[in-house]
């Protein structure tokens, strides 16, 4: 995969490169370049043209993630919060990788992957993660907060990801679905997997995993088991750089860590409710004990879902919410 990645780095300048020139840049023969090109197309799904007398060229422009470019876009206030940024071409899941590396990690370590082969979603689902089409990353944060103080963190994360998208010009009605989805017109745009690890001293560390669909290949999209969308569908007039999207999200998460540490979820609650896609609508709530029906009534100061059932308000602490429209499930 490493060789495919270097090949793509050389090809990403959007012009033809001869087999000879590519070979010398990569330190291999012309014949080996052809094999590398075929292998690269197989593992990444990226199309590479080969034209006699001209050489190789990418079929579509490709922007690879780069630690240096992401760093250039980070705001000064991130310096204390970001320890290390690593970009890998492929891994099983950025969350799983940070788990494996475990307690030795510096707080503020961020891992981006161009492709995940076993990307994880909530409730054991998978997260479809094709090469260089979307954004997948995880950040390790040693919070110094007790686990109890972290309720509502992933809801607040939704709020700051929305803020980041607005900052980049996505002013459309992108909304939130409890507990931590971002939707556009009912289709999933982004999701978070926040995993909390208790430390011996009673504080908690978090692995904050974020997946945002940027420009998903339609064939890959067929693997997703729910309605989905991506940023290029929402507004294709925005010429979005994945590196600046990455930096915008990191900037937002750094601010979140500071504000959440001081104030918890309460300072995000109003904004969450203002963007709640299902506010005051009839919903079906899927729980391990079955389906509960009620009227969605926002969230409380700890991030619990408020559901009106037979005129009484109930609080829900975990589950999957699905909007019911005129008696049919959607
Ligand atoms: C969900 O909505 O179900 C959560 C999706 C979370 C996906 C991201 S992609 C980066 C990180 N690594 C993973 O394996 N999952 C999260």
């Amino acid at each position: 995969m490493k060789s495919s990645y270097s090949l793509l780095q050389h090809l990403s300048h959007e012009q033809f490169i001869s087999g000879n020139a590519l070979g010398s840049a990569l330190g291999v023969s012309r014949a080996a370049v052809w094999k590398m090109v075929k292998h690269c197309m197989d593992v990444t799904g990226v199309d590479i043209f080969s034209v006699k007398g001209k050489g190789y060229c990418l079929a579509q422009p490709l922007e690879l993630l780069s630690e240096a470019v992401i760093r250039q876009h980070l705001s000064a206030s991130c310096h204390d919060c970001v320890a290390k940024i690593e970009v890998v071409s492929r891994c099983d899941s950025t969350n799983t990788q940070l788990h494996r590396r475990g307690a030795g990690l510096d707080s503020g370590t961020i891992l981006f992957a161009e492709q995940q082969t076993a990307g994880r979603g909530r409730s054991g689902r998978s997260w479809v993660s094709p090469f260089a089409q979307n954004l997948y990353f995880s950040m390790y944060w040693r919070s110094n907060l007790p686990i109890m103080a972290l309720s509502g963190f992933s809801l607040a994360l939704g709020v700051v990801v929305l803020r980041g998208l607005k900052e980049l010009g996505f002013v459309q009605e992108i909304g939130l679905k409890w507990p931590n989805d971002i939707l556009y017109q009912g289709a999933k745009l982004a999701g978070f997997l926040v995993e909390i690890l208790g430390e011996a001293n009673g504080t908690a560390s978090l692995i904050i995993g974020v997946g945002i669909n940027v420009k998903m290949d339609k064939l890959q999209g067929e693997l997703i088991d729910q309605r989905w969308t991506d940023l290029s569908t929402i507004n294709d007039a925005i010429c979005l750089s994945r590196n600046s999207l990455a930096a915008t999200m990191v900037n937002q998460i750094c601010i979140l860590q500071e504000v959440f540490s001081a104030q918890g979820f309460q300072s995000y609650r109003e904004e969450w409710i203002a963007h709640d896609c299902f506010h005051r609508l009839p919903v079906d709530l899927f729980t391990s004990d079955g389906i509960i029906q009620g009227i969605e009534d926002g969230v409380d100061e700890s991030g619990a879902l408020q559901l009106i059932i037979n005129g009484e308000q109930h609080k829900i602490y975990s589950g999957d919410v699905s909007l019911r429209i005129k008696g049919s499930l959607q």
Side-chain angles (χ1 to χ4, degrees):
M1 189 67 185
K2 223 171 180 172
S3 59
S4 295
Y5 195 70
S6 339
L7 175 73
L8 290 172
Q9 275 175 323
H10 284 95
L11 289 171
S12 59
H13 305 295
E14 291 177 40
Q15 54 210 10
F16 274 98
I17 311 185
S18 71
N20 276 339
L22 258 182
S24 43
L26 297 164
V28 298
S29 69
R30 228 178 103 171
V33 168
W34 170 232
K35 278 194 190 147
M36 280 173 78
V37 166
K38 280 209 308 197
H39 175 73
C40 174
M41 290 200 287
D42 283 347
V43 294
T44 64
V46 172
D47 271 341
I48 302 171
F49 289 148
S50 149
V51 176
K52 232 182 170 174
K54 284 179 102 177
Y56 300 97
C57 178
L58 292 174
Q60 304 279 337
L62 178 73
E63 183 205 14
L64 293 172
L65 293 174
S66 141
E67 184 212 333
V69 182
I70 295 171
R71 278 199 184 275
Q72 275 165 22
H73 287 88
L74 287 186
S75 60
S77 57
C78 277
H79 289 156
D80 289 344
C81 144
V82 174
K84 183 180 176 201
I85 296 178
E86 196 182 334
V87 177
V88 295
S89 47
R90 181 162 65 164
C91 69
D92 49 1
S93 142
T94 52
N95 268 42
T96 308
Q97 284 291 324
L98 293 190
H99 259 298
R100 272 193 206 115
R101 296 183 195 182
L105 281 172
D106 287 330
S107 185
T109 298
I110 307 175
L111 177 64
F112 288 90
E114 290 290 13
Q115 180 179 22
Q116 296 184 118
T117 52
R120 294 193 286 122
R122 287 182 59 247
S123 315
R125 293 196 191 93
S126 58
W127 189 255
V128 175
S129 313
F131 186 85
Q133 293 177 17
N134 304 312
L135 191 70
Y136 327 109
F137 72 93
S138 304
M139 178 170 190
Y140 178 74
W141 177 40
R142 202 166 292 126
S143 76
N144 287 327
L145 295 170
I147 290 183
M148 291 298 282
L150 284 162
S151 58
F153 180 83
S154 65
L155 278 77
L157 178 60
V159 170
V160 302
V161 168
L162 264 190
R163 286 183 190 170
L165 293 176
K166 283 193 182 154
E167 195 182 308
L168 292 165
F170 293 93
V171 290
Q172 286 80 2
E173 279 178 26
I174 301 175
L176 297 163
K177 175 186 144 187
W178 187 87
N180 51 9
D181 286 354
I182 294 203
L183 304 183
Y184 175 68
Q185 296 183 341
K188 183 133 168 178
L189 172 66
F192 321 113
L193 185 64
V194 177
E195 298 179 292
I196 299 181
L197 320 164
E199 301 287 341
N201 66 2
T203 62
S205 293
L206 288 81
I207 295 174
I208 304 164
V210 179
I212 303 176
N213 296 334
V214 179
K215 192 172 175 34
M216 178 91 80
D217 180 88
K218 298 285 171 284
L219 265 179
Q220 293 288 330
E222 282 173 15
L223 302 171
I224 302 178
D225 61 358
Q226 59 185 313
R227 280 184 61 218
W228 63 272
T229 189
D230 58 19
L231 291 174
S232 74
T233 307
I234 294 175
N235 190 341
D236 67 352
I238 297 177
C239 179
L240 184 66
S241 144
R242 284 192 311 130
N243 282 296
S244 63
L245 174 67
T248 302
M249 292 305 150
V250 172
N251 285 335
Q252 287 291 346
I253 293 173
C254 288
I255 299 169
L256 167 67
Q257 290 174 359
E258 202 183 315
V259 174
F260 196 93
S261 297
Q263 297 167 27
F265 177 62
Q266 57 161 349
S267 54
Y268 295 94
R269 181 181 174 214
E270 226 172 86
E271 200 171 336
W272 197 95
I273 293 174
H275 290 93
D276 178 5
C277 297
F278 295 174
H279 200 211
R280 304 263 152 78
L281 290 173
V283 294
D284 285 342
L285 181 90
F286 291 81
T287 71
S288 47
D289 300 330
I291 301 173
I292 305 169
Q293 298 183 334
I295 305 293
E296 206 259 44
D297 192 27
V299 291
D300 74 4
E301 50 295 321
S302 74
L305 183 75
Q306 300 179 148
L307 203 59
I308 312 282
I309 305 168
N310 299 327
E312 251 180 53
Q313 193 189 72
H314 293 252
K315 304 230 188 222
I316 313 288
Y317 296 90
S318 66
D320 264 346
V321 182
S322 175
L323 178 63
R324 189 189 58 183
I325 299 170
K326 288 186 188 153
S328 65
L329 288 177
Q330 215 193 33

